[in-house]
């Protein structure tokens, strides 16, 4: 396993649409493991392949509380089949937008179909933090960042700060 560099916004790769994987093979499994290691090291609770520069529809998440055993999920080609009409607001952050957080409103619950690490088709129904995290990561596969759900004013404020920070670090 290896940790991978995480792309920081603004980056054109974070705005691109990722493509479905044809099948879950060794290459995909290796990427899933490297993404999990990268996510745990960051630390974070979710990571999408475009954040490590790979435009494949692959995400990993683990929303287990600190002190609980890890509960990693590896999802290829995740698709939201259903979402609740009821909405919920939560404070989101993103490893590609370090140190920026904002309240985002999304459906409170979702049902997601995906291929697991063995290539088996599965469905998961989630609410709360897991539902938020799955929607946030699936957004990444379509080039959507959590700031895209905010007002233009708030989004521009965060993106300008990130741009400035990039120049400082360059
Ligand atoms: Ni993110």
């Amino acid at each position: 396993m290896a940790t991978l560099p995480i792309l920081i916004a603004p980056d054109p790769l974070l705005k691109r649409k990722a493509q479905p994987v044809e099948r879950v093979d060794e290459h995909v499994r290796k990427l899933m493991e490297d993404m999990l290691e990268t996510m745990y090291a960051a630390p974070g609770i979710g990571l999408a392949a475009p954040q490590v520069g790979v435009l494949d529809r692959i995400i990993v998440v683990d929303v287990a509380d600190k002190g609980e055993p890890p509960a990693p999920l590896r999802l290829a080609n995740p698709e939201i089949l259903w979402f609740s009409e009821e909405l919920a607001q939560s404070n989101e952050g993103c490893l590609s937008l370090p140190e920026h957080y904002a309240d985002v409103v999304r459906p409170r619950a979702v049902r997601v179909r995906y291929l697991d690490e063995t290539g088996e088709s599965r469905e998961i129904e989630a609410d709360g933090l897991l539902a938020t995290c799955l929607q946030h990561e699936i957004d990444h596969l379509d080039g959507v960042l959590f700031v895209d759900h905010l007002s233009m004013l708030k989004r521009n404020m965060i993106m300008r700060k990130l741009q400035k920070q990039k120049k400082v670090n360059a």
Side-chain angles (χ1 to χ4, degrees):
M1 295 215 291
T3 58
L4 308 166
I6 297 174
L7 299 179
I8 304 299
D11 187 296
L13 276 178
L14 293 173
K15 301 308 293 174
R16 297 262 305 274
K17 206 174 155 72
Q19 297 305 311
V21 297
E22 272 178 41
R23 60 199 178 90
V24 179
D25 56 14
E26 274 312 308
H27 174 78
V28 166
R29 271 191 288 276
K30 165 103 170 53
L31 177 62
M32 287 169 162
E33 295 317 305
D34 288 348
M35 285 170 60
L36 276 172
E37 190 177 339
T38 304
M39 179 190 86
Y40 288 131
I45 59 170
L47 190 69
Q51 293 181 273
V52 292
V54 178
L55 291 172
D56 286 344
R57 300 187 78 82
I58 296 170
I59 64 173
V60 294
V61 305
D62 186 343
V63 298
D65 276 332
K66 277 191 194 109
E68 269 181 34
L73 285 173
R74 304 157 176 88
L75 303 89
N77 301 346
E79 268 180 277
I80 296 178
L81 300 177
W82 168 86
F83 48 83
S84 63
E85 275 174 44
E86 197 189 328
L87 304 174
Q89 177 176 292
S90 51
N91 199 254
E92 293 190 26
C94 180
L95 295 176
S96 293
L97 290 82
E99 288 162 44
H100 291 280
Y101 301 88
D103 289 333
V104 178
V105 175
R106 300 182 186 269
R108 189 190 58 79
V110 288
R111 187 162 60 243
V112 174
R113 181 165 58 205
Y114 65 100
L115 300 176
D116 72 9
E117 63 275 22
T118 70
E120 186 123 357
S121 179
R122 288 180 181 274
E123 282 183 24
I124 184 176
E125 199 159 312
D127 62 8
L129 181 59
L130 182 57
T132 298
C133 188
L134 286 168
Q135 292 175 80
H136 175 121
E137 301 312 329
I138 291 170
D139 266 358
H140 274 298
L141 304 180
D142 295 314
V144 175
L145 303 176
F146 79 86
V147 290
D148 294 319
H149 294 281
L150 307 178
S151 69
M152 210 197 326
L153 186 74
K154 280 188 193 160
R155 176 168 63 247
N156 288 347
M157 200 171 71
I158 292 175
M159 293 311 284
R160 262 200 309 274
K161 283 184 186 158
L162 284 162
Q163 183 89 60
K164 213 185 259 177
Q165 195 56 43
K166 269 204 157 173
K167 279 187 190 145
V168 171
N169 293 342

PDB file of all heavy atoms in Angstrom, residues 19-49:
ATOM      1  N   GLN A  19     -14.891   8.350 -15.145  1.00  0.00           N
ATOM      2  CA  GLN A  19     -15.516   7.308 -15.974  1.00  0.00           C
ATOM      3  C   GLN A  19     -15.721   6.022 -15.174  1.00  0.00           C
ATOM      4  O   GLN A  19     -14.898   5.686 -14.317  1.00  0.00           O
ATOM      5  CB  GLN A  19     -14.597   7.012 -17.183  1.00  0.00           C
ATOM      6  CG  GLN A  19     -14.417   8.213 -18.107  1.00  0.00           C
ATOM      7  CD  GLN A  19     -15.746   8.760 -18.598  1.00  0.00           C
ATOM      8  OE1 GLN A  19     -16.594   8.007 -19.072  1.00  0.00           O
ATOM      9  NE2 GLN A  19     -15.951  10.074 -18.435  1.00  0.00           N
ATOM     10  N   PRO A  20     -16.809   5.288 -15.474  1.00  0.00           N
ATOM     11  CA  PRO A  20     -17.030   4.012 -14.781  1.00  0.00           C
ATOM     12  C   PRO A  20     -15.878   3.045 -15.036  1.00  0.00           C
ATOM     13  O   PRO A  20     -15.281   3.073 -16.114  1.00  0.00           O
ATOM     14  CB  PRO A  20     -18.317   3.464 -15.416  1.00  0.00           C
ATOM     15  CG  PRO A  20     -18.945   4.603 -16.133  1.00  0.00           C
ATOM     16  CD  PRO A  20     -17.861   5.591 -16.460  1.00  0.00           C
ATOM     17  N   VAL A  21     -15.574   2.198 -14.059  1.00  0.00           N
ATOM     18  CA  VAL A  21     -14.582   1.146 -14.295  1.00  0.00           C
ATOM     19  C   VAL A  21     -15.301  -0.024 -14.967  1.00  0.00           C
ATOM     20  O   VAL A  21     -16.474  -0.289 -14.701  1.00  0.00           O
ATOM     21  CB  VAL A  21     -13.895   0.665 -12.989  1.00  0.00           C
ATOM     22  CG1 VAL A  21     -13.131   1.812 -12.357  1.00  0.00           C
ATOM     23  CG2 VAL A  21     -14.890   0.092 -12.001  1.00  0.00           C
ATOM     24  N   GLU A  22     -14.596  -0.705 -15.878  1.00  0.00           N
ATOM     25  CA  GLU A  22     -15.228  -1.826 -16.596  1.00  0.00           C
ATOM     26  C   GLU A  22     -15.411  -3.018 -15.684  1.00  0.00           C
ATOM     27  O   GLU A  22     -16.410  -3.719 -15.752  1.00  0.00           O
ATOM     28  CB  GLU A  22     -14.369  -2.218 -17.803  1.00  0.00           C
ATOM     29  CG  GLU A  22     -14.726  -1.412 -19.045  1.00  0.00           C
ATOM     30  CD  GLU A  22     -13.857  -1.768 -20.220  1.00  0.00           C
ATOM     31  OE1 GLU A  22     -13.590  -2.975 -20.416  1.00  0.00           O
ATOM     32  OE2 GLU A  22     -13.434  -0.834 -20.920  1.00  0.00           O
ATOM     33  N   ARG A  23     -14.414  -3.276 -14.857  1.00  0.00           N
ATOM     34  CA  ARG A  23     -14.550  -4.359 -13.880  1.00  0.00           C
ATOM     35  C   ARG A  23     -13.604  -4.078 -12.724  1.00  0.00           C
ATOM     36  O   ARG A  23     -12.651  -3.299 -12.860  1.00  0.00           O
ATOM     37  CB  ARG A  23     -14.263  -5.723 -14.505  1.00  0.00           C
ATOM     38  CG  ARG A  23     -12.885  -5.847 -15.085  1.00  0.00           C
ATOM     39  CD  ARG A  23     -12.773  -7.002 -16.079  1.00  0.00           C
ATOM     40  NE  ARG A  23     -11.422  -7.025 -16.634  1.00  0.00           N
ATOM     41  CZ  ARG A  23     -10.406  -7.692 -16.107  1.00  0.00           C
ATOM     42  NH1 ARG A  23     -10.580  -8.406 -15.010  1.00  0.00           N
ATOM     43  NH2 ARG A  23      -9.212  -7.648 -16.658  1.00  0.00           N
ATOM     44  N   VAL A  24     -13.888  -4.721 -11.610  1.00  0.00           N
ATOM     45  CA  VAL A  24     -13.052  -4.529 -10.423  1.00  0.00           C
ATOM     46  C   VAL A  24     -11.939  -5.577 -10.471  1.00  0.00           C
ATOM     47  O   VAL A  24     -12.143  -6.745 -10.138  1.00  0.00           O
ATOM     48  CB  VAL A  24     -13.884  -4.655  -9.135  1.00  0.00           C
ATOM     49  CG1 VAL A  24     -13.002  -4.491  -7.910  1.00  0.00           C
ATOM     50  CG2 VAL A  24     -15.012  -3.621  -9.130  1.00  0.00           C
ATOM     51  N   ASP A  25     -10.764  -5.152 -10.933  1.00  0.00           N
ATOM     52  CA  ASP A  25      -9.629  -6.070 -11.059  1.00  0.00           C
ATOM     53  C   ASP A  25      -8.553  -5.696 -10.027  1.00  0.00           C
ATOM     54  O   ASP A  25      -8.768  -4.832  -9.171  1.00  0.00           O
ATOM     55  CB  ASP A  25      -9.079  -6.044 -12.488  1.00  0.00           C
ATOM     56  CG  ASP A  25      -8.695  -4.630 -12.927  1.00  0.00           C
ATOM     57  OD1 ASP A  25      -8.609  -3.731 -12.053  1.00  0.00           O
ATOM     58  OD2 ASP A  25      -8.476  -4.420 -14.136  1.00  0.00           O
ATOM     59  N   GLU A  26      -7.414  -6.340 -10.132  1.00  0.00           N
ATOM     60  CA  GLU A  26      -6.309  -6.099  -9.192  1.00  0.00           C
ATOM     61  C   GLU A  26      -5.929  -4.624  -9.144  1.00  0.00           C
ATOM     62  O   GLU A  26      -5.630  -4.077  -8.088  1.00  0.00           O
ATOM     63  CB  GLU A  26      -5.081  -6.934  -9.602  1.00  0.00           C
ATOM     64  CG  GLU A  26      -5.088  -8.335  -9.047  1.00  0.00           C
ATOM     65  CD  GLU A  26      -5.416  -8.369  -7.553  1.00  0.00           C
ATOM     66  OE1 GLU A  26      -4.765  -7.642  -6.775  1.00  0.00           O
ATOM     67  OE2 GLU A  26      -6.351  -9.096  -7.166  1.00  0.00           O
ATOM     68  N   HIS A  27      -5.932  -4.000 -10.325  1.00  0.00           N
ATOM     69  CA  HIS A  27      -5.538  -2.600 -10.435  1.00  0.00           C
ATOM     70  C   HIS A  27      -6.504  -1.708  -9.628  1.00  0.00           C
ATOM     71  O   HIS A  27      -6.079  -0.813  -8.890  1.00  0.00           O
ATOM     72  CB  HIS A  27      -5.529  -2.213 -11.919  1.00  0.00           C
ATOM     73  CG  HIS A  27      -5.278  -0.770 -12.171  1.00  0.00           C
ATOM     74  ND1 HIS A  27      -4.020  -0.209 -12.106  1.00  0.00           N
ATOM     75  CD2 HIS A  27      -6.127   0.246 -12.467  1.00  0.00           C
ATOM     76  CE1 HIS A  27      -4.110   1.086 -12.353  1.00  0.00           C
ATOM     77  NE2 HIS A  27      -5.382   1.383 -12.578  1.00  0.00           N
ATOM     78  N   VAL A  28      -7.805  -1.994  -9.769  1.00  0.00           N
ATOM     79  CA  VAL A  28      -8.816  -1.221  -9.046  1.00  0.00           C
ATOM     80  C   VAL A  28      -8.692  -1.475  -7.535  1.00  0.00           C
ATOM     81  O   VAL A  28      -8.756  -0.543  -6.724  1.00  0.00           O
ATOM     82  CB  VAL A  28     -10.241  -1.570  -9.555  1.00  0.00           C
ATOM     83  CG1 VAL A  28     -11.308  -1.036  -8.605  1.00  0.00           C
ATOM     84  CG2 VAL A  28     -10.446  -1.028 -10.965  1.00  0.00           C
ATOM     85  N   ARG A  29      -8.507  -2.761  -7.173  1.00  0.00           N
ATOM     86  CA  ARG A  29      -8.365  -3.104  -5.742  1.00  0.00           C
ATOM     87  C   ARG A  29      -7.161  -2.414  -5.117  1.00  0.00           C
ATOM     88  O   ARG A  29      -7.227  -1.915  -3.996  1.00  0.00           O
ATOM     89  CB  ARG A  29      -8.252  -4.618  -5.563  1.00  0.00           C
ATOM     90  CG  ARG A  29      -9.599  -5.309  -5.399  1.00  0.00           C
ATOM     91  CD  ARG A  29      -9.437  -6.756  -4.957  1.00  0.00           C
ATOM     92  NE  ARG A  29      -8.924  -7.568  -6.047  1.00  0.00           N
ATOM     93  CZ  ARG A  29      -9.694  -8.112  -6.996  1.00  0.00           C
ATOM     94  NH1 ARG A  29     -11.000  -7.932  -6.965  1.00  0.00           N
ATOM     95  NH2 ARG A  29      -9.162  -8.823  -7.966  1.00  0.00           N
ATOM     96  N   LYS A  30      -6.046  -2.359  -5.864  1.00  0.00           N
ATOM     97  CA  LYS A  30      -4.836  -1.693  -5.361  1.00  0.00           C
ATOM     98  C   LYS A  30      -5.121  -0.210  -5.143  1.00  0.00           C
ATOM     99  O   LYS A  30      -4.728   0.364  -4.119  1.00  0.00           O
ATOM    100  CB  LYS A  30      -3.694  -1.888  -6.381  1.00  0.00           C
ATOM    101  CG  LYS A  30      -2.487  -0.992  -6.210  1.00  0.00           C
ATOM    102  CD  LYS A  30      -1.345  -1.749  -5.579  1.00  0.00           C
ATOM    103  CE  LYS A  30      -0.016  -1.007  -5.571  1.00  0.00           C
ATOM    104  NZ  LYS A  30      -0.039   0.341  -5.005  1.00  0.00           N
ATOM    105  N   LEU A  31      -5.817   0.403  -6.107  1.00  0.00           N
ATOM    106  CA  LEU A  31      -6.149   1.822  -5.971  1.00  0.00           C
ATOM    107  C   LEU A  31      -7.036   2.048  -4.738  1.00  0.00           C
ATOM    108  O   LEU A  31      -6.815   2.981  -3.963  1.00  0.00           O
ATOM    109  CB  LEU A  31      -6.860   2.329  -7.239  1.00  0.00           C
ATOM    110  CG  LEU A  31      -7.320   3.790  -7.200  1.00  0.00           C
ATOM    111  CD1 LEU A  31      -6.125   4.738  -7.031  1.00  0.00           C
ATOM    112  CD2 LEU A  31      -8.098   4.148  -8.470  1.00  0.00           C
ATOM    113  N   MET A  32      -8.030   1.161  -4.525  1.00  0.00           N
ATOM    114  CA  MET A  32      -8.905   1.285  -3.351  1.00  0.00           C
ATOM    115  C   MET A  32      -8.092   1.230  -2.054  1.00  0.00           C
ATOM    116  O   MET A  32      -8.335   2.013  -1.133  1.00  0.00           O
ATOM    117  CB  MET A  32      -9.944   0.151  -3.343  1.00  0.00           C
ATOM    118  CG  MET A  32     -11.051   0.307  -4.382  1.00  0.00           C
ATOM    119  SD  MET A  32     -12.013  -1.226  -4.493  1.00  0.00           S
ATOM    120  CE  MET A  32     -13.514  -0.633  -5.322  1.00  0.00           C
ATOM    121  N   GLU A  33      -7.142   0.302  -1.980  1.00  0.00           N
ATOM    122  CA  GLU A  33      -6.321   0.172  -0.761  1.00  0.00           C
ATOM    123  C   GLU A  33      -5.443   1.406  -0.564  1.00  0.00           C
ATOM    124  O   GLU A  33      -5.315   1.923   0.545  1.00  0.00           O
ATOM    125  CB  GLU A  33      -5.461  -1.104  -0.815  1.00  0.00           C
ATOM    126  CG  GLU A  33      -6.263  -2.391  -0.797  1.00  0.00           C
ATOM    127  CD  GLU A  33      -7.415  -2.383   0.213  1.00  0.00           C
ATOM    128  OE1 GLU A  33      -7.156  -2.138   1.408  1.00  0.00           O
ATOM    129  OE2 GLU A  33      -8.574  -2.596  -0.198  1.00  0.00           O
ATOM    130  N   ASP A  34      -4.830   1.877  -1.653  1.00  0.00           N
ATOM    131  CA  ASP A  34      -3.986   3.083  -1.555  1.00  0.00           C
ATOM    132  C   ASP A  34      -4.823   4.293  -1.154  1.00  0.00           C
ATOM    133  O   ASP A  34      -4.374   5.148  -0.376  1.00  0.00           O
ATOM    134  CB  ASP A  34      -3.285   3.350  -2.892  1.00  0.00           C
ATOM    135  CG  ASP A  34      -2.173   2.349  -3.170  1.00  0.00           C
ATOM    136  OD1 ASP A  34      -1.789   1.606  -2.242  1.00  0.00           O
ATOM    137  OD2 ASP A  34      -1.682   2.304  -4.315  1.00  0.00           O
ATOM    138  N   MET A  35      -6.047   4.370  -1.684  1.00  0.00           N
ATOM    139  CA  MET A  35      -6.927   5.499  -1.319  1.00  0.00           C
ATOM    140  C   MET A  35      -7.306   5.436   0.157  1.00  0.00           C
ATOM    141  O   MET A  35      -7.345   6.465   0.837  1.00  0.00           O
ATOM    142  CB  MET A  35      -8.186   5.496  -2.201  1.00  0.00           C
ATOM    143  CG  MET A  35      -7.925   5.993  -3.628  1.00  0.00           C
ATOM    144  SD  MET A  35      -9.346   5.724  -4.726  1.00  0.00           S
ATOM    145  CE  MET A  35     -10.624   6.684  -3.900  1.00  0.00           C
ATOM    146  N   LEU A  36      -7.582   4.238   0.659  1.00  0.00           N
ATOM    147  CA  LEU A  36      -7.915   4.113   2.090  1.00  0.00           C
ATOM    148  C   LEU A  36      -6.729   4.534   2.946  1.00  0.00           C
ATOM    149  O   LEU A  36      -6.885   5.277   3.924  1.00  0.00           O
ATOM    150  CB  LEU A  36      -8.311   2.670   2.419  1.00  0.00           C
ATOM    151  CG  LEU A  36      -9.768   2.286   2.147  1.00  0.00           C
ATOM    152  CD1 LEU A  36      -9.956   0.782   2.344  1.00  0.00           C
ATOM    153  CD2 LEU A  36     -10.743   3.062   3.037  1.00  0.00           C
ATOM    154  N   GLU A  37      -5.537   4.070   2.586  1.00  0.00           N
ATOM    155  CA  GLU A  37      -4.355   4.432   3.371  1.00  0.00           C
ATOM    156  C   GLU A  37      -4.150   5.949   3.354  1.00  0.00           C
ATOM    157  O   GLU A  37      -3.844   6.567   4.377  1.00  0.00           O
ATOM    158  CB  GLU A  37      -3.112   3.717   2.815  1.00  0.00           C
ATOM    159  CG  GLU A  37      -1.929   3.876   3.749  1.00  0.00           C
ATOM    160  CD  GLU A  37      -0.684   3.138   3.287  1.00  0.00           C
ATOM    161  OE1 GLU A  37      -0.816   2.191   2.481  1.00  0.00           O
ATOM    162  OE2 GLU A  37       0.409   3.528   3.732  1.00  0.00           O
ATOM    163  N   THR A  38      -4.349   6.547   2.178  1.00  0.00           N
ATOM    164  CA  THR A  38      -4.206   8.003   2.022  1.00  0.00           C
ATOM    165  C   THR A  38      -5.240   8.736   2.886  1.00  0.00           C
ATOM    166  O   THR A  38      -4.922   9.713   3.563  1.00  0.00           O
ATOM    167  CB  THR A  38      -4.400   8.382   0.534  1.00  0.00           C
ATOM    168  OG1 THR A  38      -3.463   7.634  -0.252  1.00  0.00           O
ATOM    169  CG2 THR A  38      -4.198   9.865   0.303  1.00  0.00           C
ATOM    170  N   MET A  39      -6.488   8.223   2.866  1.00  0.00           N
ATOM    171  CA  MET A  39      -7.574   8.833   3.632  1.00  0.00           C
ATOM    172  C   MET A  39      -7.308   8.751   5.137  1.00  0.00           C
ATOM    173  O   MET A  39      -7.443   9.733   5.855  1.00  0.00           O
ATOM    174  CB  MET A  39      -8.887   8.132   3.284  1.00  0.00           C
ATOM    175  CG  MET A  39     -10.096   8.657   4.018  1.00  0.00           C
ATOM    176  SD  MET A  39     -11.519   7.574   3.738  1.00  0.00           S
ATOM    177  CE  MET A  39     -11.268   6.358   5.023  1.00  0.00           C
ATOM    178  N   TYR A  40      -6.900   7.565   5.619  1.00  0.00           N
ATOM    179  CA  TYR A  40      -6.632   7.402   7.058  1.00  0.00           C
ATOM    180  C   TYR A  40      -5.461   8.281   7.493  1.00  0.00           C
ATOM    181  O   TYR A  40      -5.449   8.823   8.594  1.00  0.00           O
ATOM    182  CB  TYR A  40      -6.328   5.937   7.390  1.00  0.00           C
ATOM    183  CG  TYR A  40      -7.531   5.009   7.337  1.00  0.00           C
ATOM    184  CD1 TYR A  40      -7.475   3.805   6.639  1.00  0.00           C
ATOM    185  CD2 TYR A  40      -8.716   5.324   8.005  1.00  0.00           C
ATOM    186  CE1 TYR A  40      -8.558   2.939   6.587  1.00  0.00           C
ATOM    187  CE2 TYR A  40      -9.814   4.466   7.961  1.00  0.00           C
ATOM    188  CZ  TYR A  40      -9.726   3.276   7.257  1.00  0.00           C
ATOM    189  OH  TYR A  40     -10.808   2.430   7.209  1.00  0.00           O
ATOM    190  N   ALA A  41      -4.460   8.421   6.622  1.00  0.00           N
ATOM    191  CA  ALA A  41      -3.264   9.191   6.977  1.00  0.00           C
ATOM    192  C   ALA A  41      -3.574  10.685   7.054  1.00  0.00           C
ATOM    193  O   ALA A  41      -2.929  11.417   7.803  1.00  0.00           O
ATOM    194  CB  ALA A  41      -2.152   8.932   5.957  1.00  0.00           C
ATOM    195  N   ALA A  42      -4.587  11.128   6.292  1.00  0.00           N
ATOM    196  CA  ALA A  42      -4.815  12.576   6.134  1.00  0.00           C
ATOM    197  C   ALA A  42      -5.073  13.328   7.450  1.00  0.00           C
ATOM    198  O   ALA A  42      -4.436  14.346   7.678  1.00  0.00           O
ATOM    199  CB  ALA A  42      -5.919  12.825   5.119  1.00  0.00           C
ATOM    200  N   PRO A  43      -5.974  12.972   8.372  1.00  0.00           N
ATOM    201  CA  PRO A  43      -6.975  11.917   8.255  1.00  0.00           C
ATOM    202  C   PRO A  43      -8.276  12.470   7.703  1.00  0.00           C
ATOM    203  O   PRO A  43      -8.583  13.651   7.860  1.00  0.00           O
ATOM    204  CB  PRO A  43      -7.160  11.486   9.715  1.00  0.00           C
ATOM    205  CG  PRO A  43      -6.971  12.759  10.508  1.00  0.00           C
ATOM    206  CD  PRO A  43      -6.035  13.643   9.705  1.00  0.00           C
ATOM    207  N   GLY A  44      -9.062  11.574   7.073  1.00  0.00           N
ATOM    208  CA  GLY A  44     -10.365  11.972   6.554  1.00  0.00           C
ATOM    209  C   GLY A  44     -11.322  10.807   6.647  1.00  0.00           C
ATOM    210  O   GLY A  44     -10.933   9.701   7.047  1.00  0.00           O
ATOM    211  N   ILE A  45     -12.604  11.050   6.286  1.00  0.00           N
ATOM    212  CA  ILE A  45     -13.623   9.991   6.371  1.00  0.00           C
ATOM    213  C   ILE A  45     -14.098   9.557   4.991  1.00  0.00           C
ATOM    214  O   ILE A  45     -14.922   8.657   4.881  1.00  0.00           O
ATOM    215  CB  ILE A  45     -14.831  10.421   7.244  1.00  0.00           C
ATOM    216  CG1 ILE A  45     -15.506  11.679   6.687  1.00  0.00           C
ATOM    217  CG2 ILE A  45     -14.380  10.646   8.688  1.00  0.00           C
ATOM    218  CD1 ILE A  45     -16.839  11.994   7.376  1.00  0.00           C
ATOM    219  N   GLY A  46     -13.581  10.203   3.938  1.00  0.00           N
ATOM    220  CA  GLY A  46     -13.959   9.810   2.589  1.00  0.00           C
ATOM    221  C   GLY A  46     -12.946  10.326   1.591  1.00  0.00           C
ATOM    222  O   GLY A  46     -12.271  11.330   1.847  1.00  0.00           O
ATOM    223  N   LEU A  47     -12.811   9.614   0.479  1.00  0.00           N
ATOM    224  CA  LEU A  47     -11.892  10.068  -0.568  1.00  0.00           C
ATOM    225  C   LEU A  47     -12.383   9.518  -1.906  1.00  0.00           C
ATOM    226  O   LEU A  47     -12.829   8.368  -1.982  1.00  0.00           O
ATOM    227  CB  LEU A  47     -10.471   9.556  -0.281  1.00  0.00           C
ATOM    228  CG  LEU A  47      -9.351  10.127  -1.144  1.00  0.00           C
ATOM    229  CD1 LEU A  47      -9.101  11.609  -0.837  1.00  0.00           C
ATOM    230  CD2 LEU A  47      -8.039   9.346  -0.944  1.00  0.00           C
ATOM    231  N   ALA A  48     -12.315  10.362  -2.936  1.00  0.00           N
ATOM    232  CA  ALA A  48     -12.737   9.955  -4.277  1.00  0.00           C
ATOM    233  C   ALA A  48     -11.508   9.929  -5.190  1.00  0.00           C
ATOM    234  O   ALA A  48     -10.585  10.737  -5.020  1.00  0.00           O
ATOM    235  CB  ALA A  48     -13.772  10.941  -4.811  1.00  0.00           C
ATOM    236  N   ALA A  49     -11.502   9.002  -6.156  1.00  0.00           N
ATOM    237  CA  ALA A  49     -10.327   8.817  -7.009  1.00  0.00           C
ATOM    238  C   ALA A  49      -9.844  10.115  -7.689  1.00  0.00           C
ATOM    239  O   ALA A  49      -8.628  10.334  -7.774  1.00  0.00           O
ATOM    240  CB  ALA A  49     -10.594   7.714  -8.039  1.00  0.00           C
TER     241      ALA A  49
END
